[in-house]
Amino acid sequence: MERMAAQSPVLGDFGFVALVLVMAVGLALLAAAAFARAPARTVRAPPAWAQFRFGYAVYALIFLAFDMEMIFMYPWAVVFADIGVSAFLDMLVFIVLLSAGIAYAWGMGGLRWE
């Protein structure tokens, strides 16, 4: 078996020093560019974005809750027969928690279309 030649510690130190210098020069250039830049003008939203209502996000979150419920129910249905009552109780807790979230959204008026 052939012995590998040991690397020179000078080359390793030179590489580290070169890396630190490149990083320092890069940071200095970024700082100089940030200070040399003219102040940016205010950018206004286009009129189409100004009409966006946040109420649509509530419907998206409720849809996501039902979607996640279905994603977790498919693998559960596959192993339900093997696990038995424990699997049923686990899914019952999961459905109760999701139902509580939907009931809370309903009670707070999140499902009212205005």
Side-chain angles (χ1 to χ4, degrees):
M1 199 184 234
E2 191 177 315
R3 275 186 92 175
M4 296 186 74
Q7 285 186 343
S8 169
V10 174
L11 289 177
D13 292 341
F14 177 72
F16 178 72
V17 169
L19 179 65
V20 170
L21 285 175
V22 166
M23 288 173 48
V25 168
L27 287 175
L29 288 174
L30 283 175
F35 286 120
R37 188 179 317 155
R41 62 182 176 91
T42 307
V43 179
R44 294 183 185 230
W49 285 94
Q51 297 174 6
F52 179 74
R53 289 185 14 179
F54 183 71
Y56 299 127
V58 174
Y59 295 109
L61 289 174
I62 292 170
F63 169 76
L64 191 63
F66 281 115
D67 197 36
M68 287 291 112
E69 181 180 356
M70 286 291 101
I71 287 174
F72 285 119
M73 278 186 143
Y74 287 132
W76 171 81
V78 171
V79 297
F80 173 69
D82 297 336
I83 298 176
V85 176
S86 174
F88 176 74
L89 294 176
D90 289 342
M91 187 51 68
L92 185 64
V93 168
F94 181 69
I95 290 174
V96 165
L97 286 174
L98 281 177
S99 299
I102 298 298
Y104 176 76
W106 189 359
M108 296 299 289
L111 300 178
R112 214 172 318 133
W113 188 270
E114 294 177 3

